[in-house]
Amino acid sequence: MAADTRFHAAAGPLPLSCLAAAAGIAPPEGSEGRLFTGVATLQAAGPSDVSFLEGRRWLPSLRESRAGAVVLAAANAGAVPEGTVALVAPSPVLAFARIAALLHPPAAADGRRHPTAVIGEGVVLGEGCEIGPYAVIEDGAVLGARCIVGPHAHVGPNCVFGDECRILSHATATHCVAGHRVTLNPGARIGSEGFGFATTREGEHVTVPQLGRVLLGDGVEVGANTCIDRGSGNDTVIGAGSRLDDQVMIGHNVRLGRGCVIVGQAGISGSTVLGDFVVVAAQAGISGHLTIGSRARVGAKSGVIDDVPEGMDVFGFPAMPAREGLRVAAAMRKLGRSKAAARMPETKSD
Amino acid sequence: MAADTRFHAAAGPLPLSCLAAAAGIAPPEGSEGRLFTGVATLQAAGPSDVSFLEGRRWLPSLRESRAGAVVLAAANAGAVPEGTVALVAPSPVLAFARIAALLHPPAAADGRRHPTAVIGEGVVLGEGCEIGPYAVIEDGAVLGARCIVGPHAHVGPNCVFGDECRILSHATATHCVAGHRVTLNPGARIGSEGFGFATTREGEHVTVPQLGRVLLGDGVEVGANTCIDRGSGNDTVIGAGSRLDDQVMIGHNVRLGRGCVIVGQAGISGSTVLGDFVVVAAQAGISGHLTIGSRARVGAKSGVIDDVPEGMDVFGFPAMPAREGLRVAAAMRKLGRSKAAARMPETKSD
Amino acid sequence: MAADTRFHAAAGPLPLSCLAAAAGIAPPEGSEGRLFTGVATLQAAGPSDVSFLEGRRWLPSLRESRAGAVVLAAANAGAVPEGTVALVAPSPVLAFARIAALLHPPAAADGRRHPTAVIGEGVVLGEGCEIGPYAVIEDGAVLGARCIVGPHAHVGPNCVFGDECRILSHATATHCVAGHRVTLNPGARIGSEGFGFATTREGEHVTVPQLGRVLLGDGVEVGANTCIDRGSGNDTVIGAGSRLDDQVMIGHNVRLGRGCVIVGQAGISGSTVLGDFVVVAAQAGISGHLTIGSRARVGAKSGVIDDVPEGMDVFGFPAMPAREGLRVAAAMRKLGRSKAAARMPETKSD
């Protein structure tokens, strides 16, 4: 099935020449004028859909596919069934992304301001912004051109957003300065009070005022219900192009470089610094006050308690070089199957 | 203490005959006409309360209890104190659930539409729906009869919900088609953009349009602040009767069968498929593109990185058959206590 | 850089005598009249800022600092550069917190009620409350004096809050009785339905009505998007002064004593009881029906499956006494580096 047009706009039909150009692909001769209306998986695609082959394990589906065109790597072009156009690209998924965005363009700001939106004093809205019902934009906030502010979204006093930002349904942003093309998915919480307090001898926790901000670089995307606390004194910084999945937690004063990827339910504790293009997989955690070098990668569910050098993959808890962490994982599997373990005295948890 | 009637409706007094019938229990002769007003724990119950005995460790509390009636298994009926009615049921907790729901019925839709609710063009609301203050239901959405839409809840364009759904305070649903009796608890996020992108050679992450939907079967319940991303091309599917606890994260294209149970803070990565009645315990994680067979169970905090056959219990990280995983856990405990470990050279983390 | 006054109020300039008095510090003779306007890190502070030295590793920054005054321990007072006032305090961070709160006072309720706020019948608001746009306070709720109810916050029917509570943007509270000075950060969910159900032989999950409440003691602070489910029969209780970070999950019937600290993404399963001043670090999990003694501490990412005695530190999964858990962690590191592990047969996950 192609995309459900109740939920996704469809801009087609578009000629293959146009789609291929957007993807930087040369279409096979004679196919330039073929018209396409949508994208779909190999199984679901029909003659007017573009599909793509991500890896060789999908080859059987390719052979059965009725897709009108398939984006794939050169090595797999021979497996395309008759009648299907092979669109060869060095990165099929990237080319597919660009084609899909032409056929099903993301919603653009419609320039309307819902009458129920509460816009504070001194707010500056760039041209063409779309402001949804019950959005609240507090005094002094500044938004660039063509931003989308969803239903119930809340932008706190004096926050700054650049052009073409999307602050979606129920997102909250306070104490925040953001660049262009920033997306806050539903329920994201930007700029909440960090977890900072001092404890008296009697055990009373006294708040240390959290006096920093959150800085979001151009193109940052923040997942649903993800939380980025504001800095305590310095700022919390998310570098340009970084993407955070849902339910991620970023503590105060954390700094991410450019293009980092933080997968769902991962957490980074206060004052840790990540370089550029760091990847943190799902449910991983990184302790506070660490330095993670550029292009390092942290495996899923890992717990990082030491600095990680540039380019290193780490895995496990405590996180260690991935090769070592995988050895430990293999040893655990072996231990589980071993007779020696079976002979161990029972413990309460066994 | 019985339920606080400031927060929970009370429908009593009701005769035991009526309560027992709802639970499929035969009340002891002569007790049918006794009247009850509430339910309570064994310790808190008084003569007009029904209580229940979950397991044998509660027997001491039973002997001290002043409850008017106690639901319990046949084997424990002899321990009921004088003056307390023993209500014998094969599943005491299930029988108790049905009795409690009679005495303290869940809120039903009151049929009122708050004047501040924003209802878009072409929206169809079934009879008897209750729409709370500042709810936003966008153009073309369809809700069945007797739905409750809480304060600030947001239903996106063209979403479909069946009868008697509850979309509670601050929940968001977009790109979603849901059956009957679906509950979205506060802050649940349904249909947000999945985490899909391709990366250019220069390190720019380019969004792969997420063109699928979320399908929720009849009776699905989604916990507070839980996120279910919409599919990328296929749909994300939650089978009928499945229950998700708070802060669960479901990635794009994931498919759950019927009656699955996903406990708090667990996460399932993109495109993984679960059969029917799978249980995933708290804080567990399942990698993407896996198949988890029906009635499999994943232990708390486990990390599943391989397919799991039908009916298998797995535990640990990497998750292994539960018996093996528990062996490993026991071995870790033993290692912690061992002199050999104590003699190991100190490392930075020690 | 000192605090950005677009986002943080500044009450200065204030004389050092006043600041020092709030912190219980005797300022050096002759410095009492010096005026200060803000606080800042050692690197960022200028002559009109107060800074602080948290630990000896910051000594190099201290020597370079241009701060007008620095709060520090007596042992480090000698390292203060010329022209900087040394403010000696037994707990520098605590003294700094008190000084920062004078110079940058937290927002107090401004007594205004936004015209869009929906206030139900019989609601009692104490004097001086601030009620934000689109806040919803349902029938019968009672708030004490000087509370702040943020934009879109939702207080359910008959809920009770004491004086000077902050129910911030998008927070939800139902079935809740709270003391004074309670803070709910954005997106916190208090009183949602707990995860309680019984399953029929056919696999249908039947809700066990969740008939308890949430009780929040004086001074409790709840982080962004954190969830505290209401009790099933008994109440869920968070003791006075306890602080919960973002994305924490507290199951039904859990009871925390006074002054507990629960760090981000940690979870506590149903009916577990914590004593006073228990610390649960990030991403840790505690099984249900356990007892954790006062002043116990649970390490990050640990999984607690047994009771923990008073004052014990535990670590690991399964959690064991911290000394043992750290031994296991060290053994894992050693195993990862060992040749023996390298010689192990390859497994699928290796």
Side-chain angles (χ1 to χ4, degrees), chain C residues 244-338:
Chain C
L244 284 61
D245 199 355
D246 298 351
Q247 296 180 356
V248 166
M249 150 101 208
I250 306 287
H252 55 190
N253 310 323
V254 165
R255 284 165 47 204
L256 270 62
R258 285 178 303 130
C260 291
V261 172
I262 316 292
V263 186
Q265 300 181 322
I268 304 180
S269 297
S271 302
T272 280
V273 177
L274 276 64
D276 298 331
F277 306 110
V278 172
V279 176
V280 180
Q283 296 186 338
I286 305 182
S287 290
H289 297 277
L290 297 180
T291 299
I292 312 298
S294 289
R295 292 175 203 277
R297 297 189 300 180
V298 175
K301 265 192 181 295
S302 297
V304 180
I305 58 175
D306 307 292
D307 290 347
V308 177
E310 196 172 323
M312 182 180 279
D313 290 355
V314 297
F315 178 68
F317 182 44
M320 50 192 98
R323 192 181 175 78
E324 298 177 11
L326 291 171
R327 258 184 215 158
V328 170
M332 293 302 106
R333 283 182 190 270
K334 197 176 170 191
L335 177 64
R337 286 190 298 260
S338 74

Side-chain angles (χ1 to χ4, degrees), chain B residues 183-242:
Chain B
T183 294
L184 308 183
N185 277 292
R189 311 289 167 210
I190 310 297
S192 298
E193 200 170 296
F195 203 55
F197 52 84
T199 304
T200 68
R201 236 174 271 180
E202 295 72 36
E204 187 197 357
H205 306 308
V206 176
T207 297
V208 177
Q210 302 290 299
L211 298 169
R213 306 170 299 183
V214 174
L215 307 182
L216 303 174
D218 291 345
V220 164
E221 303 214 352
V222 178
N225 284 350
T226 279
C227 298
I228 304 176
D229 286 350
R230 68 178 183 262
S232 61
N234 295 313
D235 296 316
T236 305
V237 182
I238 310 293
S242 291

Side-chain angles (χ1 to χ4, degrees), chain C residues 6-153:
Chain C
R6 289 180 295 176
F7 301 119
H8 301 284
L14 292 172
L16 189 56
S17 56
C18 160
L19 301 173
I25 295 177
E29 226 182 288
S31 70
E32 298 90 341
R34 275 184 73 164
L35 292 175
F36 289 85
T37 57
V39 297
T41 60
L42 287 169
Q43 294 90 337
S48 64
D49 291 322
V50 181
S51 191
F52 80 111
L53 179 82
E54 194 166 15
R56 296 187 57 81
R57 65 174 160 164
W58 292 6
L59 278 173
S61 299
L62 174 61
R63 292 196 191 94
E64 305 289 316
S65 182
R66 295 174 51 249
V70 174
V71 189
L72 36 49
N76 299 315
V80 166
E82 210 173 335
T84 296
V85 179
L87 297 170
V88 172
S91 167
V93 62
L94 183 60
F96 178 79
R98 302 211 191 269
I99 288 170
L102 272 190
L103 287 166
H104 300 289
D110 66 11
R112 282 185 280 185
R113 185 192 301 191
H114 198 277
T116 60
V118 170
I119 313 287
E121 286 180 29
V123 167
V124 178
L125 298 178
E127 64 165 342
C129 284
E130 169 181 346
I131 314 292
Y134 300 127
V136 172
I137 304 179
E138 297 201 73
D139 296 354
V142 177
L143 274 71
R146 297 173 299 283
C147 289
I148 296 176
V149 179
H152 306 105

Side-chain angles (χ1 to χ4, degrees), chain B residues 76-89:
Chain B
N76 299 314
V80 166
E82 211 174 336
T84 296
V85 180
L87 296 170
V88 171

Side-chain angles (χ1 to χ4, degrees), chain B:
Chain B
M1 192 189 60
D4 185 334
T5 53
R6 289 180 295 176
F7 301 117
H8 301 284
L14 292 172
L16 189 55
S17 56
C18 160
L19 301 173
I25 295 177
E29 228 184 285
S31 70
E32 297 90 341
R34 275 184 73 165
L35 292 175
F36 289 86
T37 56
V39 296
T41 60
L42 288 169
Q43 294 90 339
S48 63
D49 292 322
V50 181
S51 191
F52 81 110
L53 179 82
E54 194 166 13
R56 297 187 56 81
R57 65 173 162 166
W58 291 8
L59 278 174
S61 299
L62 174 61
R63 292 195 190 94
E64 305 288 317
S65 182
R66 296 173 50 250
V70 174
V71 190
L72 36 51
N76 299 314
V80 166
E82 211 174 336
T84 296
V85 180
L87 296 170
V88 171
S91 167
V93 63
L94 182 59
F96 178 78
R98 302 214 191 267
I99 288 171
L102 272 191
L103 287 165
H104 301 289
D110 66 11
R112 282 184 280 185
R113 185 192 300 190
H114 198 276
T116 60
V118 170
I119 313 286
E121 286 180 30
V123 167
V124 177
L125 298 177
E127 64 166 343
C129 284
E130 169 181 344
I131 314 292
Y134 300 127
V136 171
I137 303 179
E138 297 200 73
D139 295 355
V142 177
L143 275 70
R146 297 174 299 282
C147 290
I148 296 177
V149 179
H152 306 106
H154 170 216
V155 178
N158 300 314
C159 286
V160 177
F161 282 83
D163 297 337
E164 296 178 4
C165 291
R166 300 184 298 164
I167 304 166
L168 297 178
S169 171
H170 285 268
T172 305
T174 66
H175 310 84
C176 174
V177 177
H180 302 301
R181 287 165 286 106
V182 167
T183 294
L184 308 183
N185 277 292
R189 311 289 167 210
I190 310 297
S192 298
E193 200 170 296
F195 203 55
F197 52 84
T199 304
T200 68
R201 236 174 271 180
E202 295 72 36
E204 187 197 357
H205 306 308
V206 176
T207 297
V208 177
Q210 302 290 299
L211 298 169
R213 306 170 299 183
V214 174
L215 307 182
L216 303 174
D218 291 345
V220 164
E221 303 214 352
V222 178
N225 284 350
T226 279
C227 298
I228 304 176
D229 286 350
R230 68 178 183 262
S232 61
N234 295 313
D235 296 316
T236 305
V237 182
I238 310 293
S242 291
R243 296 201 174 207
L244 284 60
D245 200 355
D246 300 351
Q247 296 180 354
V248 165
M249 150 101 208
I250 305 287
H252 55 189
N253 310 323
V254 166
R255 285 165 47 204
L256 270 62
R258 285 178 305 131
C260 291
V261 173
I262 316 293
V263 186
Q265 300 182 321
I268 304 180
S269 296
S271 301
T272 280
V273 177
L274 276 64
D276 298 330
F277 305 110
V278 173
V279 176
V280 180
Q283 297 186 337
I286 305 183
S287 290
H289 296 277
L290 297 181
T291 300
I292 313 297
S294 289
R295 294 177 202 276
R297 296 189 300 180
V298 175
K301 264 191 180 297
S302 297
V304 180
I305 59 176
D306 306 292
D307 289 348
V308 177
E310 196 172 322
M312 182 180 280
D313 290 355
V314 298
F315 179 68
F317 182 43
M320 50 192 97
R323 191 180 175 77
E324 298 176 12
L326 292 171
R327 258 183 215 157
V328 170
M332 293 302 106
R333 282 181 190 271
K334 198 177 168 189
L335 177 64
R337 285 189 298 260
S338 75
K339 286 184 186 157
R343 276 200 309 266
M344 286 194 317
E346 298 284 309
T347 76
K348 189 177 169 187
S349 74
D350 199 350

